[in-house]
Amino acid sequence: MEQSFARRSLRDIAAVLTVAVFMFPLFWWALTSIKPMYAIFNKDEVVVFDFVPTLINYAVVLLGWSRAEIAIESGSTFGVGGTSSYDSRQTIVDSIVIAVGSTGLTIIIAVLAAYALSRMRFRGRSGFLNWVLGQRFLPPIAIIVPLVGMYKVAGMRDTDNLFLGYVGLIVIHALMNLPIAVLLLKSFFDDVPKDVDEAAMIDGATRWQTFRKVVLPMVRGGVAAAAVLCFIFSWTEFLLALFLTTIIRTVPVKITTFVTSTGSEWGFISALGTAAILPGFIFILLVQRHLVRGLTLGSLKE
C-alpha cells in the first residue's frame, strides 16, 4: 500500500514538473507583456517581479495607441522606432477571417470525406488513406516555390484586392488542414456502429438523411475537436501567409515586423503573442477530451 502511494506521488510530481517546464516559456511570455520598457531592457539584472505592471504594450498593439506619443509623454524616447506600425487590429481581423473561413471549408469537406471512408468500401481505399496521411507529412517549404508561381498566375499574390487575398489564404490553409481533419473525423465515425446506419435506412431514411440527422449529431464532439485543431493550425501558420500574399498580414507575420532599426520590441511582441495564444488555449480546454482521443485515432476511449 505504501509502495503504491509512493509510486503515485512520484508520478504526480513528475507530471507537475513536466507541465511546469513546458508552461514556463508561456508564463515568461505573458509576464514580459506586462513589463514596462525599463524592466525588459535592464542590463544589470533580470527583472522578474520587481516592476510595476502596465498594459501599455496591449494598448499599443490591440487598441492602436501611438508608441511614440506614449514614450514622449513618459519623458523617454528610448527605442522609439515608429508610430502606428504596431497597431495590430487589422491584422487580428485578417487572421480571424482566414482562420474561420479555412476551418469552415475544411470541416465541410472533411466530414463528407471521413464518413465516406468510414462507411464505404471501394478499391484502393487503404492506399487512398495512406495518401491522405502522406499529404500532412509534406512540409510547406517543399512546395512554396511552385505555389508562389501559381498564385502569381492566378492574380492572388500581387493584388490590391483584399477579397482575393482572403480567398487565396483560406483555400491553401484548408488544403493544409484537410488531411489531419479527415483522419481525425474518420476515427470518430468508426466509433459509431454501422448498425445505426442500417436501422435508420430500414426505417426509410436515405443515406444523406442518415448521415445528416443520425450519425453526424453523434460525432459533434469530434467535429468540434477537428474544428479547433484546424483553427489553431491556420491561426499560427507563418510560411504560406508570408509568401502567398502581399496585402494581408496575419498575426505571426505581423510579429516579425516588430524588429525595428533600434532593436526588437519585446514588449509588443509578447503582448500580441500572448493575446494570440489565448483563443486557442481556451478552445483546447473546451474540447480536450475529444481532441486527445481523435489524435490517437480512437485508441483512447472516453
Side-chain angles (χ1 to χ4, degrees):
M1 185 69 178
E2 293 180 359
Q3 186 178 5
S4 177
F5 175 76
R7 187 181 296 110
R8 288 198 304 269
S9 299
L10 288 174
R11 182 192 60 189
D12 293 342
I13 292 172
V16 170
L17 290 176
T18 301
V19 172
V21 168
F22 283 97
M23 290 298 293
F24 180 76
L26 298 179
F27 162 75
W28 191 260
W29 200 241
L31 188 65
T32 303
S33 70
I34 59 174
K35 286 183 178 180
M37 185 176 295
Y38 73 85
I40 298 175
F41 295 98
N42 192 313
K43 295 181 180 180
D44 299 326
E45 60 179 352
V46 177
V47 178
V48 182
F49 297 113
D50 188 20
F51 64 90
V52 178
T54 177
L55 296 178
I56 292 298
N57 295 324
Y58 287 96
V60 171
V61 298
L62 300 182
L63 301 179
W65 288 20
S66 172
R67 164 71 175 83
E69 291 178 4
I70 292 172
I72 293 172
E73 289 175 2
S74 64
S76 172
T77 57
F78 170 75
V80 176
T83 53
S84 61
S85 60
Y86 304 108
D87 185 358
S88 304
R89 289 174 293 181
Q90 184 59 45
T91 294
I92 294 174
V93 171
D94 291 342
S95 292
I96 291 174
V97 170
I98 293 167
V100 171
S102 64
T103 298
L105 180 60
T106 302
I107 293 302
I108 290 173
I109 299 174
V111 292
L112 297 174
Y115 179 74
L117 289 171
S118 175
R119 290 299 191 265
M120 300 178 184
R121 296 291 181 267
F122 52 88
R123 181 177 297 178
R125 177 175 172 272
S126 298
F128 180 75
L129 279 172
N130 292 331
W131 177 81
V132 170
L133 182 60
Q135 301 308 300
R136 187 59 190 172
F137 296 156
L138 188 65
I141 191 65
I143 57 173
I144 193 63
V145 173
L147 278 177
V148 169
M150 292 168 59
Y151 270 59
K152 275 191 174 183
V153 172
M156 289 190 292
R157 185 174 187 273
D158 301 320
T159 178
D160 293 330
N161 190 318
L162 189 61
F163 176 76
L164 287 179
Y166 282 148
V167 170
L169 282 184
I170 286 173
V171 169
I172 197 63
H173 281 190
L175 293 176
M176 174 188 71
N177 290 326
L178 193 57
I180 190 66
V182 170
L183 293 173
L184 194 153
L185 287 171
K186 179 183 177 299
S187 71
F188 283 94
F189 282 119
D190 288 342
D191 288 342
V192 179
K194 295 182 180 179
D195 295 342
V196 174
D197 302 57
E198 295 172 358
M201 287 187 283
I202 288 175
D203 288 339
T206 64
R207 171 68 74 175
W208 171 249
Q209 290 173 329
T210 300
F211 163 72
R212 185 170 60 88
K213 296 183 177 181
V214 180
V215 181
L216 188 58
M218 298 176 69
V219 297
R220 59 181 179 272
V223 173
V228 167
L229 203 62
C230 291
F231 180 89
I232 292 173
F233 284 157
S234 178
W235 183 264
T236 59
E237 198 282 321
F238 172 74
L239 189 70
L240 298 174
L242 176 66
F243 285 102
L244 294 184
T245 179
T246 57
I247 192 175
I248 295 174
R249 284 180 176 174
T250 58
V251 170
V253 176
K254 180 68 175 180
I255 288 178
T256 64
T257 66
F258 289 175
V259 179
T260 68
S261 58
T262 57
S264 300
E265 294 284 3
W266 292 111
F268 304 145
I269 292 174
S270 59
L272 184 56
T274 302
I277 289 172
L278 287 177
F281 186 74
I282 293 172
F283 292 154
I284 288 177
L285 288 178
L286 293 175
V287 297
Q288 57 180 325
R289 286 188 307 156
H290 303 292
L291 194 59
V292 171
R293 190 169 69 87
L295 290 176
T296 56
L297 298 181
S299 61
L300 297 177
K301 304 297 182 181
E302 293 184 54

